[in-house]
Amino acid sequence: MSRVNPLIYGSLVILTTALMGSSFAVGKIGLEYVSPLLLVGIRFTLAGMLMALFVLKRRHPGSLAAWLRVFTIGLFQSAGVMGCIFISLRTITASESSILTFMNPLFVVIFGTLFTKTRYRLIQWVGVTLGFIGVFVTLGFHLHLHFGTLLGLLGAVSWAVATLLIKRWGPQIDTWVLTAYQMLFGGLLLLIGSVTLEQPHISFNVVSISILVWLSIMASIVQFAIWFYLLQHGDPGKTSAFLFLAPFFGVLSGWLILGEPVRDTVLIGGFFIFAGIFLVNWPESKKKRAWLTD
């Protein structure tokens, strides 16, 4: 169980997943004014610079190895995940991109089992499987295996890797410092990618500036700080299971902001997803092992 008060933990989970989910619809609007990698590059570089100023007096990593760990987390969490998301938004809807990206918990359990020897209970595997089925149903019982879909899946894989790295390395690094510099490093990598992989363009106006500010502060600084805090004070598999909430905030915001239709399959898939969350978080007997074995 998390060391955080359950009420506070639940509130933070809702806030961070709501910010995660809504950023897809907001970001899709932003693509009308800014090219994908440039948009997220500016977003995270700006957010990282602002947070770097905020954390100047906090304890920073004291070795090159520690800084390389922060850089690696930024590579997967900011550059990898967000680069895949925003490029995918050019070919698939905000709802589809959010649903695919948040398959992350399934990959966390699989990678945790394969590479960190983490042992999950059968009921947790059932829960993750139900969550996966829910995502599949939400997509209309099929996957469109085109470029945008593959990028959504790749974003989920990148996020799962980052989740396990944060759990392993995060406790040795100040949460706010880690949040600031992984965003800064990821943002700089995205800017390099923009120059080398796309034809960068931007149109400055009230809407585009407002979107950049929202994505940089609320959907980056606030969201990542909460997310890393939850990962460091709980189990990565358990915390990541709540990411199944984020696609629904993605679908909801896509409907409210972009007018994307909400199909019956979304409601059916939601039942499976919430059932999966319930089983993944099923309390364990005191006589049994804890969620994860380090």
Side-chain angles (χ1 to χ4, degrees):
M1 292 292 291
S2 170
R3 295 190 294 271
V4 184
N5 177 281
L7 181 60
I8 295 176
Y9 182 87
S11 299
L12 291 177
V13 165
I14 292 174
L15 177 58
T16 189
T17 53
L19 289 172
M20 290 178 192
S22 62
S23 66
F24 288 82
V26 175
K28 195 170 183 68
I29 297 174
L31 293 179
E32 298 178 11
Y33 309 96
V34 193
S35 55
L37 295 180
L38 181 59
L39 175 59
V40 280
I42 294 174
R43 167 187 176 180
F44 287 110
T45 301
L46 177 60
M49 291 174 64
L50 291 174
M51 277 207 70
L53 293 175
F54 178 77
V55 302
L56 276 177
K57 296 184 179 180
R58 302 184 72 90
R59 184 170 62 87
H60 284 53
S63 66
L64 177 60
W67 279 110
L68 287 175
R69 290 173 179 174
V70 176
F71 178 85
T72 302
I73 291 173
L75 170 65
F76 286 100
Q77 182 70 68
S78 290
V81 176
M82 297 302 167
C84 288
I85 288 173
F86 276 76
I87 295 177
S88 75
L89 286 173
R90 301 188 73 173
T91 57
I92 60 178
T93 67
S95 299
E96 289 175 326
S97 181
S98 65
I99 290 168
L100 289 170
T101 300
F102 290 109
M103 287 176 62
N104 161 37
L106 176 63
F107 293 115
V108 168
V109 173
I110 294 173
F111 294 162
T113 300
L114 292 176
F115 302 116
T116 68
K117 307 303 180 183
T118 298
R119 297 179 61 185
Y120 292 89
R121 292 173 289 144
L122 176 61
I123 196 170
Q124 293 172 294
W125 280 101
V126 172
V128 171
T129 302
L130 285 178
F132 176 79
I133 292 173
V135 171
F136 184 69
V137 173
T138 303
L139 285 175
F141 297 96
H142 63 277
L143 289 176
H144 302 285
L145 293 178
H146 48 63
F147 187 60
T149 302
L150 293 176
L151 281 176
L153 291 171
L154 183 59
V157 170
S158 186
W159 199 331
V161 173
T163 297
L164 295 174
L165 292 179
I166 292 166
K167 183 61 180 180
R168 181 175 180 179
W169 296 334
Q172 289 79 47
I173 308 171
D174 181 277
T175 300
W176 288 92
V177 172
L178 173 59
T179 303
Y181 287 98
Q182 73 85 20
M183 286 194 296
L184 179 58
F185 292 149
L188 292 174
L189 287 172
L190 288 164
L191 289 179
I192 293 173
S194 176
V195 173
T196 57
L197 300 177
E198 67 180 8
Q199 294 181 335
H201 65 85
I202 184 170
S203 176
F204 287 105
N205 53 53
V206 174
V207 176
S208 63
I209 293 175
S210 298
I211 288 174
L212 282 171
V213 170
W214 173 266
L215 291 176
S216 298
I217 297 178
M218 293 303 299
S220 297
I221 295 176
V222 175
Q223 183 260 300
F224 270 116
I226 295 173
W227 177 243
F228 287 172
Y229 176 81
L230 291 173
L231 285 178
Q232 291 183 15
H233 291 78
D235 301 311
K238 179 178 180 179
T239 299
S240 294
F242 286 105
L243 285 175
F244 282 128
L245 291 170
F248 281 90
F249 286 114
V251 172
L252 180 62
S253 60
W255 172 62
L256 292 174
I257 299 174
L258 301 175
E260 295 177 351
V262 180
R263 305 180 303 273
D264 291 339
T265 51
V266 173
L267 300 179
I268 299 173
F271 172 81
F272 283 99
I273 289 172
F274 283 107
I277 292 175
F278 179 78
L279 293 179
V280 167
N281 290 281
W282 187 274
E284 187 175 23
S285 170
K286 294 181 180 179
K287 295 182 180 181
K288 294 181 180 180
R289 296 176 63 88
W291 253 75
L292 297 173
T293 54
D294 295 329

